[in-house]
């Protein structure tokens, strides 16, 4: 098995790259989705989050009201770090359980917005072994978020709450520029896939 941490700033195109790798055979795990799961209905982080942020973040239909929580944490660094401390160990546990279900000869890709900022996907039993970061100029990312219906203020504060491109570069083994169109990204995905297969095969080769 080879485990890859795939990250990039919000709107950079990491999920698009993950999907292209999945079409080639990668097993993609949506780590951001696991993050939603731990604060969703019956999620393992719900009670701890309510204890820290108050009953007003509880969703009337169960779980946490993500909009209310985002309002707090994307404007308050301490709150974001408290949420990280509560949620990341629980997400790591779900991640390990997901990898336990994957066949041993797979190339696994963790699709994760938050990588450089914390030990998510790294301090768990199945840590990522290499890191790929997707880079797209901030103004293009901002425009993509606007097209998704996000307000300019929200788009800006979410981008600012994440690690910078420089911080992601510092932990990355590979940097994928996603400045072209989707066809260009598809082409790059082919190259990335060949490289991942090479690394995977190299790991499997017995020492002489
Ligand atoms: P998030 O962190 O918000 O999940 P992301 O980094 O996973 O974002 P994607 O969801 O892959 O980013 O891409 C954001 C949007 O930009 C999507 O609508 C996607 O189709 C589009 N997109 C990604 N790459 C390109 C590209 N090269 N050209 C045009 N559109 C693109």
């Amino acid at each position: 098995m080879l485990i890859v941490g795939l990250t990039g700033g919000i709107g950079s195109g990491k999920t698009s790259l993950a999907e292209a790798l999945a079409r080639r055979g990668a097993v993609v795990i949506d780590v951001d989705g696991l993050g939603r799961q731990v604060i969703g209905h019956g999620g393992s982080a719900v009670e701890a989050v309510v204890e820290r942020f108050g009953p007003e973040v509880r969703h009337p239909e169960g779980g946490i009201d993500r909009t209310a929580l985002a309002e707090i944490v994307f404007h308050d660094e301490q709150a974001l770090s408290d949420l990280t401390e509560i949620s990341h160990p629980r997400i790591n546990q779900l991640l390990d359980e997901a990898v336990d279900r994957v066949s041993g000869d797979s190339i696994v890709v963790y699709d994760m917005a938050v990588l450089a900022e914390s030990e998510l996907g790294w301090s768990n039993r199945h840590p990522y072994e290499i890191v790929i970061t997707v880079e797209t100029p901030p103004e293009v990312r901002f425009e993509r978020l606007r097209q998704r219906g996000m307000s300019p203020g929200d788009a800006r504060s979410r981008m600012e709450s994440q690690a910078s491109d420089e911080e992601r570069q510092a932990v990355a083994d590979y940097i994928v520029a996603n400045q072209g169109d989707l066809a260009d990204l598809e082409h790059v995905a082919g190259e990335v896939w060949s490289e991942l297969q090479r690394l995977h095969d190299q790991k499997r080769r017995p020492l002489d």
Side-chain angles (χ1 to χ4, degrees), residues 110-164:
Y110 293 169
D111 178 5
M112 51 197 297
V114 172
L115 183 147
E117 296 90 330
S118 86
E119 297 195 350
L120 193 61
W122 181 66
S123 64
N124 51 329
R125 271 190 297 115
H126 298 294
Y128 51 75
E129 297 150 271
I130 63 158
V131 173
I132 299 174
T133 184
V134 179
E135 275 193 11
T136 303
E139 57 281 8
V140 178
R141 292 163 48 207
F142 182 77
E143 208 33 60
R144 286 183 188 156
L145 298 177
R146 294 283 295 124
Q147 275 169 15
R148 264 194 224 165
M150 203 178 274
S151 74
D154 265 6
R156 224 167 274 122
S157 55
R158 280 172 195 246
M159 286 171 68
E160 281 166 10
S161 75
Q162 295 189 320
S164 63

Side-chain angles (χ1 to χ4, degrees), residues 9-16 113 144-145 148 178 180-182 185:
I10 184 167
S12 60
K14 64 190 169 305
T15 301
S16 306
R144 286 183 188 156
L145 298 177
R148 264 194 224 165
N178 181 24
D181 58 19
L182 287 170
L185 185 61

Side-chain angles (χ1 to χ4, degrees), residues 170-192:
V171 296
D173 299 289
Y174 299 91
I175 298 171
V176 171
N178 181 24
Q179 280 157 320
D181 58 19
L182 287 170
D184 292 331
L185 185 61
E186 193 63 36
H187 176 74
V188 173
E191 291 179 355
V192 171

Side-chain angles (χ1 to χ4, degrees), residues 38-39 44-45 48-49 52-53 73 77-92 114 117-120 123:
V38 297
I39 58 167
S44 55
V49 168
R52 163 63 179 83
F53 297 100
V73 300
E77 243 175 70
Q78 183 58 50
L80 184 59
S81 126
D82 291 348
L83 178 63
T84 297
E85 208 171 294
I86 294 169
S87 60
H88 285 194
R90 291 162 167 98
I91 301 171
N92 269 337
V114 172
E117 296 90 330
S118 86
E119 297 195 350
L120 193 61
S123 64

Side-chain angles (χ1 to χ4, degrees), residues 184-202:
D184 292 331
L185 185 61
E186 193 63 36
H187 176 74
V188 173
E191 291 179 355
V192 171
W193 182 243
S194 302
E195 179 66 3
L196 295 181
Q197 282 182 308
R198 190 185 67 76
L199 293 172
H200 184 237
D201 291 348
Q202 201 174 42

